[in-house]
Amino acid sequence: MTLRRASSGNNENPIAETEEIEGSMSLRWRLALLSATLVAFAVGVITVTAYWSVSSYITNSIERDLEDHAEILLDRAKSPGFYANVETEIDAFGDYARGVRVALIPPGWEYVIGESIALPEADFLNQKEPGSLLISTTVERILVKRDDTGAVVVLAKNMVETERQLTTLGVILLLIGGCGVLASILLGFVIANEGLKPLAKLQRAVEDIVRTDELRSIPVVGNDEFAKLTRSFNDMLHALRESRKRQSQLVADAGHELKTPLTSMRTNIELLLMTSKNGGHSIPKEELDSLRHDVLAQMSEMSDLIGDLVDLAREERTEVLETVDLNQVLEIALDRIESRRLTVNIDVSETVQWEMQGDDFSLTRALVNVLDNAIKWSPEHSTVRVLLTQLDNETARIVIDDSGPGIAESERELVLERFYRSVSSRSMPGSGLGLAIVHQVVHRHGGKLVVGESDDGGTRIIIDLPGEPIRSRFENVDD
């Protein structure tokens, strides 16, 4: 019986839902909404700023007008005979300042001439010093001003109509802003369609490549970001073409190289089967033993060839690099080649402490291949000479010399190619992949491999690898 835990609706992940929504939204919608958001923000800022600017300007203008009117009336009050006809003067001033209620308290008087205006802050009237006071109520702006004679002018401006106009202005600005946002959405779609045409063209080209499986380059138009993206995509297609070409070449070469030993092995096995059916009397014992030896040798040759092919395919992949002690790698390679020495000596005359970033497994296999070739081609009782030196502060050099027949100068570049075998080595067993694998390993590590001639006419393999000397732990200690 299987128990299942019921999932609760409260365990939903809102972040995942948001990512799903964003992932399902087309790029055109994203650009349009982004432009609409930016325009809405800009329109909002402009609308608020415009409304605040207009409202402040109108309010300040009204307050300046009240201040000017108060100055005019107080100056008029200083004229001779003003207070003899004060009520007439107030009426005349009311006709001049339309929409403004006027009240005047002459110096030393206890009552007010003109309109009856209620003041929220009446303490100002009891003061003796000149000055002014601006009071804002829900419906009026009130200015109280006293001059040096003690006369007080009170002016009141009704703000109901002004507030209504400002409200209307705010609604108009809001409508204009909304229309601007809608227009920005439509304009965003137009801009997105025009701006994404190169991307749509690239998408169609990619779909055509997927459909036809032809890795042909895409034409590049212009020098903008889409052109750079197309160039990068073409570089990727070039790398894919090269990878496919290498894979096809590897399969073709492997098939060609495996065909010959397979054919010979099949023939020899058929002869052995025929011999076993006839009781082993049709072929002499010496020839039968030679036939069995040939089958085993061909099986060994095929095994070596398949191993080399696997190594070559492995080198096509990118390995994880780490710090490698090159001296230790050389020692491991020498230990592995120990059983293959037979009557050939190996002389390691000089080594340096060197470290580099690389793959120790690949480097060890490469050195084993070089040493194995040197031993195989060296005559009996000869010496293979190995040298590890520091070329400069950034490069170490490994030199391996043998005393064999050497490689002709015209073939020294060719032996680094896959499956190529020099004329003198075609009678010997081998796949022609050893030095190709070494060259590939060295090249992948940023190094260089050169095939030359040793001092006694044999083959010299020179391998230059980057890195740096291993510093002693005592070098960093102050004297």
Side-chain angles (χ1 to χ4, degrees):
M1 180 177 180
T2 303
L3 298 180
R4 295 183 179 179
R5 184 175 60 183
S7 61
S8 173
N10 296 329
N11 293 332
E12 296 178 354
N13 189 349
I15 298 178
E17 293 180 357
T18 303
E19 293 178 351
E20 182 178 356
I21 293 174
E22 291 179 353
S24 62
M25 187 180 298
S26 66
L27 184 58
R28 289 184 176 84
W29 263 107
R30 293 182 185 180
L31 292 176
L33 291 180
L34 179 61
S35 62
T37 302
L38 294 177
V39 171
F41 177 76
V43 168
V45 172
I46 294 174
T47 300
V48 172
T49 303
Y51 180 80
W52 178 81
S53 300
V54 173
S55 176
S56 299
Y57 176 79
I58 292 176
T59 302
N60 293 334
S61 178
I62 291 174
E63 292 174 356
R64 286 195 302 270
D65 289 342
L66 290 176
E67 188 75 26
D68 293 340
H69 292 335
E71 288 286 346
I72 292 173
L73 185 56
L74 288 174
D75 289 342
R76 180 63 181 165
K78 294 177 181 179
S79 302
F82 176 80
Y83 289 105
N85 299 307
V86 64
E87 293 183 358
T88 303
E89 293 286 349
I90 292 298
D91 292 339
F93 185 80
D95 294 336
Y96 165 73
R98 294 285 183 178
V100 178
R101 295 194 299 153
V102 183
L104 175 64
I105 304 176
W109 289 31
E110 298 294 335
Y111 59 92
V112 179
I113 302 172
E115 298 284 346
S116 177
I117 302 174
L119 299 178
E121 300 182 15
D123 294 340
F124 182 79
L125 299 177
N126 299 325
Q127 298 178 6
K128 303 300 182 181
E129 294 82 6
S132 62
L133 176 65
L134 183 64
I135 303 172
S136 298
T137 66
T138 55
V139 294
E140 288 183 319
R141 284 288 192 278
I142 302 173
L143 176 66
V144 182
K145 189 172 184 64
R146 179 193 296 276
D147 65 2
D148 52 358
T149 64
V152 179
V153 174
V154 181
L155 302 179
K157 173 69 175 179
N158 192 297
M159 298 294 292
V160 174
E161 183 63 25
T162 302
E163 294 292 341
R164 185 181 297 112
Q165 292 176 356
L166 291 175
T167 302
T168 303
L169 175 64
V171 173
I172 293 174
L173 290 175
L174 186 62
L175 292 176
I176 293 175
C179 293
V181 172
L182 293 178
S184 68
I185 295 177
L186 298 177
L187 185 61
F189 272 110
V190 175
I191 295 175
N193 286 329
E194 292 297 324
L196 293 178
K197 280 185 178 179
L199 186 60
K201 182 179 179 181
L202 179 61
Q203 180 184 359
R204 290 193 297 270
V206 173
E207 292 174 350
D208 185 61
I209 291 173
V210 173
R211 187 182 70 257
T212 60
D213 198 28
E214 296 180 4
L215 302 178
R216 58 181 180 274
S217 299
I218 301 173
V220 180
V221 180
N223 196 29
D224 55 4
E225 285 74 11
F226 288 110
K228 295 178 182 178
L229 177 62
T230 305
R231 291 191 186 95
S232 299
F233 191 81
N234 285 338
D235 292 340
M236 182 187 69
L237 290 178
H238 177 72
L240 288 175
R241 285 196 300 269
E242 291 298 321
S243 177
R244 178 180 291 184
K245 180 179 178 180
R246 289 195 300 268
Q247 291 177 358
S248 300
Q249 185 66 33
L250 180 62
V251 172
D253 292 342
H256 174 74
E257 293 296 323
L258 288 172
K259 183 177 181 180
T260 300
L262 278 174
T263 302
S264 300
M265 185 183 298
R266 179 179 179 180
T267 301
N268 291 333
I269 292 176
E270 288 177 349
L271 287 175
L272 287 174
L273 291 175
M274 292 175 60
T275 302
S276 63
K277 289 180 180 180
N278 296 330
H281 300 292
S282 60
I283 299 179
K285 184 178 183 303
E286 293 79 6
E287 295 184 6
L288 185 60
D289 292 339
S290 176
L291 189 62
R292 291 171 180 170
H293 180 270
D294 289 342
V295 171
L296 292 176
Q298 289 163 357
M299 290 180 63
S300 177
E301 182 180 355
M302 283 191 59
S303 177
D304 293 340
L305 177 58
I306 293 173
D308 288 340
L309 290 173
V310 171
D311 290 341
L312 194 63
R314 182 180 184 273
E315 288 304 320
E316 296 285 351
R317 302 194 300 269
T318 302
E319 303 292 341
V320 179
L321 302 182
E322 58 184 2
T323 302
V324 176
D325 186 341
L326 190 58
N327 190 277
Q328 184 178 4
V329 168
L330 180 59
E331 290 180 0
I332 295 175
L334 291 172
D335 290 340
R336 292 184 181 178
I337 210 71
E338 183 73 25
S339 60
R340 310 179 194 180
R341 285 190 182 188
L342 299 177
T343 58
V344 177
N345 298 320
I346 296 180
D347 177 27
V348 182
S349 59
E350 182 182 352
T351 60
V352 296
Q353 299 297 320
W354 192 265
E355 64 180 7
M356 60 178 293
Q357 294 296 314
D359 176 18
D360 56 348
F361 181 81
S362 297
L363 291 170
T364 303
R365 183 175 62 249
L367 292 179
V368 168
N369 284 349
V370 176
L371 291 170
D372 187 40
N373 283 342
I375 292 174
K376 181 171 64 176
W377 292 105
S378 294
E380 293 185 358
H381 308 296
S382 63
T383 301
V384 173
R385 299 166 296 282
V386 180
L387 184 68
L388 171 58
T389 60
Q390 179 179 340
L391 192 61
D392 53 44
N393 291 333
E394 298 179 352
T395 309
R397 170 167 289 181
I398 300 175
V399 179
I400 300 177
D401 291 339
D402 64 45
S403 302
I407 300 175
E409 187 174 355
S410 60
E411 295 182 310
R412 290 173 186 173
E413 292 291 334
L414 298 176
V415 294
L416 301 180
E417 299 179 1
R418 299 176 180 179
F419 300 104
Y420 181 84
R421 302 183 67 189
S422 62
V423 176
S424 59
S425 66
R426 291 175 185 174
S427 60
M428 298 286 291
S431 63
L433 288 175
L435 286 180
I437 295 174
V438 176
H439 181 257
Q440 189 162 308
V441 171
V442 173
H443 177 74
R444 186 169 61 84
H445 284 80
K448 181 180 179 182
L449 187 147
V450 177
V451 179
E453 182 179 355
S454 64
D455 295 336
D456 55 357
T459 301
R460 168 172 291 178
I461 301 295
I462 301 174
I463 300 175
D464 292 338
L465 292 171
E468 61 182 2
I470 300 178
R471 296 181 179 180
S472 172
R473 61 180 180 177
F474 300 106
E475 291 184 9
N476 296 327
V477 180
D478 294 335
D479 295 333

